[in-house]
Amino acid sequence: MNLVYSYELTNLDLDGEGDSADTMSWDVVFSAFETSTVASEQVTPGTQVMAAYDGTEFNVGAGSTTWAANESIQFSVDNIVLSDANYEATFDGFTKLWLTAGTYYLGTGADTTEFTTAQETYTFSSAQDVLVLTAQASERNRNLSGTFTVIPEPATLGLVVAFGGGIIFVRRRLSM
């Protein structure tokens, strides 16, 4: 029922060591739900159904090109792998999604935000998992964005401190 999209960046300097030998891969998991509910501005996902992507937009149900009212979609990131064992990549969260004009709910439970947007990219606080519910029919969405950070692995940081020379902290932000 979920769609899983695997991504890979290759031949980049993600660890700041001056070479272009790093590779990072990750999966974006896309889930879709019908009959989701909103009570007191809190979203509860409904019945999970087949997620669909038509090459441009994420949708609920195979063959669908728009959402129906009270359908929701969820995105998450899994399986982050960085080729350099001395560094670790973490997913900072999703930050933007293009939506058509309408009323939406972003989040779940007490962390739900209701918002109305024009046909534009909606920017929100960084979220590890994003659940979006539409309040009306014929809505569309695309262009999901998020960021990663690459930092030294904790054991490597300990070695740098133990050997004196201060801490060299490399932070690279990647946008997907």
Side-chain angles (χ1 to χ4, degrees):
M1 293 192 181
N2 294 333
L3 293 179
V4 178
Y5 295 95
S6 298
Y7 297 92
E8 183 176 80
L9 296 174
T10 60
N11 302 321
L12 296 172
D13 181 16
L14 300 174
D15 56 18
E17 292 181 352
D19 60 5
S20 294
D22 300 321
T23 299
M24 186 173 91
S25 62
W26 68 94
D27 295 334
V28 175
V29 180
F30 167 42
S31 307
F33 304 90
E34 292 179 327
T35 62
S36 298
T37 58
V38 179
S40 301
E41 293 189 10
Q42 294 191 31
V43 173
T44 303
T47 305
Q48 188 171 9
V49 296
M50 178 57 80
Y53 178 68
D54 65 10
T56 304
E57 296 164 348
F58 303 101
N59 296 298
V60 177
S64 176
T65 57
T66 61
W67 293 351
N70 296 319
E71 290 184 334
S72 56
I73 58 174
Q74 182 173 14
F75 300 96
S76 59
V77 169
D78 272 341
N79 305 319
I80 303 169
V81 177
L82 184 63
S83 61
D84 188 332
N86 294 322
Y87 287 78
E88 111 184 349
T90 58
F91 180 59
D92 299 327
F94 297 107
T95 55
K96 294 188 256 182
L97 180 64
W98 182 91
L99 297 160
T100 54
T103 299
Y104 297 88
Y105 295 89
L106 177 72
T108 56
D111 294 327
T112 300
T113 302
E114 178 182 359
F115 63 94
T116 302
T117 185
Q119 184 166 309
E120 64 189 6
T121 298
Y122 179 71
T123 302
F124 47 90
S125 296
S126 183
Q128 292 294 314
D129 295 315
V130 171
L131 178 75
V132 181
L133 177 134
T134 181
Q136 59 239 22
S138 299
E139 301 302 357
R140 297 175 293 122
N141 66 93
R142 59 179 169 258
N143 298 343
L144 181 66
S145 298
T147 60
F148 293 87
T149 299
V150 175
I151 59 172
E153 189 259 337
T156 303
L157 273 177
L159 287 174
V160 170
V161 171
F163 288 106
I167 296 177
I168 300 169
F169 195 82
V170 177
R171 183 176 175 111
R172 300 273 188 236
R173 294 187 76 88
L174 304 171
S175 185
M176 68 174 165

